[in-house]
Every structure is written in C-alpha cells, then in structure tokens.
C-alpha cells in the first residue's frame, strides 16, 4: 500500500488550466499508463459485471479530475466516466497538428526581445519555442532561427545586426558563433547604461550639494 501511494505521488504534476493541452495530455496519459489505467481513456467499465473494473475506472477518472485546476474541475465535475471526460477535454482544447504548427510557428516568427529583457532570456524563449515546434513535427532550421533572432533584436541592436548581416548571409551564420556575440553585446550595453545612470546620479548629487 505504501509503495502504491508513493507511485501515485510520483505522478502528481501541474494542474491543467486550459493552456498547453498537448503537453498536459501526454503527462496524464503517461501517468495512467504507469498506473495501468490507460484503457479507460477509450473504454467504459461494464457496470454490474465486474465490480473491480468499475472501481479502477473511478480511480482513473479521479486521477484525471485531480489533474485539473479548480475552475475546470467545476466545469467537468458531472462527468461520470473517464472516456466521456477525455472526449470533452479533447473537444474543448485539442487542436489539429496543422493548427498547432501554425500557432507555434507564428508565435516563433513574430517573437521579439522586449526592452528590458536580457538577451540570454530572449534566446532561451526562442529556443523553447523552436523545441515546441520540433515536438509538433515542424522543426525550425538554423537559418530560420538566426533570421528570427536578428529580426527580434534589430530595434535595440540595429548596428550590430546590420554588421552581422553585412559580413555573412543568413545561411553562413552559425548559432554557436552568433549567440555568444549577441549576449556579450547585450551585457556591454547594459554595463554602459548602468555607468551612464550612475554618472548622472553623481552629477545630480554634486549639483544639489553646491546649491
């Protein structure tokens, strides 16, 4: 019994709140498979014929319901079988592969570095999106990644981006060469801005002390 409770505890994960259904569905399916309850996603227990089967079906339903956030739990709390619950969840949140690829690719291509975002964080964000695309069978090529990266940083790093593009075409640029340069340039600009701000503060303090 103790081992069973430990195994079920290992299957706890972030509750589904309506976002990233594909990833959540994969984790739930994996959890049900680990507990040997995955059959109830597609089939209902035969009521009255096998009490143990009904009990397992209820356990599977409880497992998935417990993986929903409170608002979704209330929404689906009237579902009595996992098969019906699963069908409703897929109807409400699952997109087709083509739709998912379109959404992810559009999000990737239009991603831009925000004003105060560190370059390393922006690159991590792009990398995560490219990995999501790869998982959706729509891998990002290196030239696409580089062009998106340069386009997303052009507003703040216009001269640097222009110089990088002038030296080589996109197909000749390499992520492993470009990324460290961008991060270094970002750190340099942040340091310069910080020093500029410190100098300005010292001037203000000096002016006040002499008035």
């Amino acid at each position: 019994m103790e081992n069973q409770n430990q195994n079920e505890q290992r299957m706890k994960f972030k509750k589904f709140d309506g976002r990233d259904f594909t990833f959540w569905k994969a984790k739930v399916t994996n959890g049900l498979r680990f507990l040997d309850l995955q059959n109830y996603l597609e089939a209902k227990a035969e009521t009255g014929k096998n009490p143990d089967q009904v009990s397992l079906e209820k356990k599977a339903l409880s497992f998935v319901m417990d993986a929903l956030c409170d608002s979704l739990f209330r929404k689906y709390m009237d579902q009595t079988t996992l098969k019906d619950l699963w069908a409703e969840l897929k109807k409400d949140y699952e997109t087709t592969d083509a739709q998912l690829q379109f959404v992810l690719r559009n999000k990737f291509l239009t991603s831009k570095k925000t004003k105060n975002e560190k370059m390393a964080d922006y690159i991590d964000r792009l990398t995560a999106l490219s990995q999501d695309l790869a998982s959706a069978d729509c891998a990002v090529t290196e030239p696409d990644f580089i062009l998106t990266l340069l386009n997303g940083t052009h507003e703040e790093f216009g001269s640097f981006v222009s110089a990088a593009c002038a030296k080589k075409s996109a197909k000749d640029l390499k992520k492993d060469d470009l990324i460290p340069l961008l991060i270094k340039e970002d750190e340099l600009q942040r340091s310069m801005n910080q020093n500029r701000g410190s100098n300005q503060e010292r001037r203000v303090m000096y002016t006040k002390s002499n008035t």
Side-chain angles (χ1 to χ4, degrees):
M1 185 68 175
E2 183 179 351
N3 288 337
Q4 182 180 359
N5 290 336
Q6 289 176 348
N7 288 338
E8 291 182 15
Q9 187 64 34
R10 286 169 55 190
M11 290 296 103
K12 297 293 183 181
F13 41 82
K14 184 178 179 181
K15 294 180 183 291
F16 179 57
D17 60 1
R19 294 174 293 181
D20 202 359
F21 178 73
T22 300
F23 183 66
W24 177 84
K25 183 180 74 170
K27 297 202 74 170
V28 165
T29 303
N30 182 61
L32 289 168
R33 190 180 299 115
F34 180 81
L35 299 171
D36 199 23
L37 297 172
Q38 72 276 14
N39 291 342
Y40 297 106
L41 290 170
E42 305 296 338
K44 297 182 181 180
E46 297 183 23
T47 306
K49 292 187 177 181
N50 191 332
D52 290 339
Q53 196 179 72
V54 173
S55 178
L56 289 173
E57 182 183 40
K58 289 180 178 178
K59 182 178 179 179
L61 175 63
S62 177
F63 177 83
V64 177
M65 288 294 293
D66 192 46
L68 300 174
C69 70
D70 290 349
S71 61
L72 292 184
F73 186 96
R74 293 189 193 94
K75 179 179 178 180
Y76 298 106
M77 62 189 299
D78 292 334
Q79 296 296 329
T80 57
T81 68
L82 178 56
K83 181 181 178 182
D84 291 340
L85 170 64
W86 203 243
E88 287 298 307
L89 286 167
K90 289 199 293 184
K91 182 185 72 174
D92 291 343
Y93 297 103
E94 190 170 54
T95 58
T96 65
D97 289 342
Q99 288 174 317
L100 179 61
Q101 289 174 1
F102 174 80
V103 170
L104 288 174
R105 187 159 181 81
N106 184 63
K107 188 175 181 180
F108 175 80
L109 293 174
T110 58
S111 180
K112 295 185 182 297
K113 178 181 175 297
T114 59
K115 185 175 181 180
N116 295 318
E117 185 177 22
K118 290 183 178 180
M119 181 65 70
D121 292 338
Y122 171 59
I123 292 169
D124 286 345
R125 186 155 56 85
L126 274 186
T127 300
L129 286 171
S130 69
Q131 290 170 345
D132 288 343
L133 278 163
S135 298
D137 294 323
C138 187
V140 175
T141 65
E142 186 160 349
D144 271 351
F145 188 97
I146 289 171
L147 284 173
T148 303
L149 175 59
L150 293 177
N151 182 58
T153 57
H154 188 272
E155 191 170 319
E156 287 185 78
F157 297 81
S159 58
F160 181 88
V161 170
S162 298
C165 294
K167 291 179 180 178
K168 294 183 178 181
S169 64
K171 67 179 182 179
D172 295 325
L173 290 170
K174 301 297 181 185
K175 280 198 303 182
D176 290 343
D177 297 329
L178 180 62
I179 287 175
L181 293 175
L182 279 168
I183 292 175
K184 186 176 181 180
E185 179 70 14
D186 180 50
E187 291 173 347
L188 178 62
Q189 289 195 23
R190 286 177 180 276
S191 178
M192 291 172 60
N193 290 336
Q194 187 175 6
N195 290 337
R196 192 178 299 119
S198 297
N199 290 336
Q200 186 174 358
E201 286 179 11
R202 283 195 289 269
R203 284 196 297 270
V204 170
M205 292 176 63
Y206 178 80
T207 301
K208 286 183 178 179
S209 65
N210 287 276
T211 56

